[in-house]
Amino acid sequence: MAITAEQIIDTAESLVARGQSPTLSAVRNALGSGSFTTIGETLRNWREQYKVRQREAAQMPMRVQEALAQAGAIIWTESMRQHSAQLNAERELFNTERERSEIERNEAIELADQLARDLDQLRDEYAQSQQAAALAHDQQLIAEERSQRTAALESALREAEAELAVTRSQVETLRTECAEMRQDAHHALREVEVHRMHSLAHETAVDALRTELSDARTEADAMTQRAVTAEAKVQTLQNALYAAKTR
């Protein structure tokens, strides 16, 4: 909210009533804020009006004029003439000093306003630097999190690849064993066919071999399914790792 002229004048008169000098800085401190230019212009107008009121209050009372009207008219007139001449000289000196003071005050106000603008700019730059630092910190945390996620995916991928290699090795071993068992079963079946007419015991052996062969096939199928599952898991981890690296 902007400071009004009435607030500035009330503050200045309040300082005078307390016996304090209503300087530019004192009035601004009492107000708490406000432009130096606005306060300085209002104080300058108020000082001129204040001096007029002071001169009017200092005029000779009517009763004194009446008492001295006859006896001191000439003395009073001469005194007023001398006083007026002195007052004019003092007024000229005062005007000269006031002009000089006005120039110095305007320069000081301009400097103060410039300093206030520079301070506001520094505050804005500091706030921007704080925001940039916070953004950089957040980006660093995101990068670290991605790096940790990538490392975890790579570790999981290595474990899955090792598990897949073991599974494949087991599948190959089981396939070899199954092939050997099939070959043995074929030989046994041929032998059983040759000797089946001689002994019923051979039929039992054939059934056992067939059962064993069926179990081997079932186990081989299970190992094959485990290998397929492990390959799918490796492919999923590879896709996740690629997505993490390309973000």
Side-chain angles (χ1 to χ4, degrees):
M1 182 177 179
I3 302 299
T4 63
E6 288 77 9
Q7 290 175 310
I8 297 173
I9 292 174
D10 291 342
T11 302
E13 292 184 349
S14 176
L15 291 173
V16 172
R18 294 197 299 266
Q20 301 178 8
S21 177
T23 62
L24 178 62
S25 60
V27 172
R28 190 176 187 278
N29 290 336
L31 290 171
S33 62
S35 171
F36 285 99
T37 303
T38 302
I39 298 174
E41 182 67 23
T42 304
L43 284 179
R44 184 165 54 253
N45 296 332
W46 171 78
R47 287 192 183 97
E48 293 177 355
Q49 296 175 2
Y50 182 78
K51 290 176 182 177
V52 171
R53 294 199 304 268
Q54 291 294 100
R55 286 197 298 269
E56 290 177 353
Q59 289 181 352
M60 181 179 292
M62 183 60 66
R63 60 183 181 180
V64 175
Q65 293 181 6
E66 293 176 354
L68 298 177
Q70 299 297 326
I74 297 176
I75 297 175
W76 177 255
T77 301
E78 181 63 20
S79 175
M80 287 299 297
R81 185 186 65 79
Q82 294 179 0
H83 179 70
S84 297
Q86 182 179 1
L87 182 61
N88 290 333
E90 292 179 353
R91 183 180 294 112
E92 291 179 359
L93 179 61
F94 171 75
N95 290 334
T96 301
E97 291 295 326
R98 185 180 64 179
E99 291 176 358
R100 184 179 63 80
S101 298
E102 286 293 328
I103 294 174
E104 294 177 352
R105 181 163 51 250
N106 290 336
E107 291 177 350
I109 291 174
E110 183 179 357
L111 177 60
D113 289 340
Q114 182 62 43
L115 291 175
R117 289 191 294 270
D118 292 343
L119 180 59
D120 292 337
Q121 182 178 358
L122 289 175
R123 287 173 177 170
D124 293 339
E125 292 176 354
Y126 176 75
Q128 293 174 1
S129 65
Q130 290 294 101
Q131 293 176 357
L135 178 60
H137 179 67
D138 293 341
Q139 292 177 346
Q140 182 180 0
L141 291 179
I142 293 173
E144 292 177 354
E145 181 180 356
R146 287 179 177 175
S147 178
Q148 294 174 358
R149 189 183 304 124
T150 301
L153 289 172
E154 289 177 346
S155 177
L157 177 60
R158 287 191 297 270
E159 293 177 358
E161 289 175 343
E163 182 180 352
L164 177 60
V166 173
T167 303
R168 284 175 176 173
S169 177
Q170 293 175 351
V171 169
E172 290 299 325
T173 301
L174 185 58
R175 284 176 179 174
T176 301
E177 292 176 354
C178 287
E180 293 175 353
M181 291 176 67
R182 287 193 188 100
Q183 190 175 9
D184 293 340
H186 286 307
H187 289 305
L189 285 173
R190 284 195 296 270
E191 292 177 359
V192 168
E193 289 294 334
V194 173
H195 298 286
R196 186 172 56 177
M197 299 301 297
H198 301 281
S199 178
L200 294 176
H202 290 100
E203 293 182 1
T204 304
V206 170
D207 292 337
L209 287 173
R210 285 175 177 172
T211 301
E212 186 177 356
L213 179 60
S214 177
D215 292 340
R217 286 175 178 173
T218 301
E219 186 177 357
D221 292 339
M223 293 298 293
T224 302
Q225 184 62 36
R226 286 176 57 191
V228 172
T229 302
E231 288 179 353
K233 182 178 179 181
V234 170
Q235 185 62 40
T236 301
L237 290 172
Q238 287 177 341
N239 293 337
L241 179 60
Y242 176 77
K245 289 181 177 180
T246 56
R247 287 181 180 174

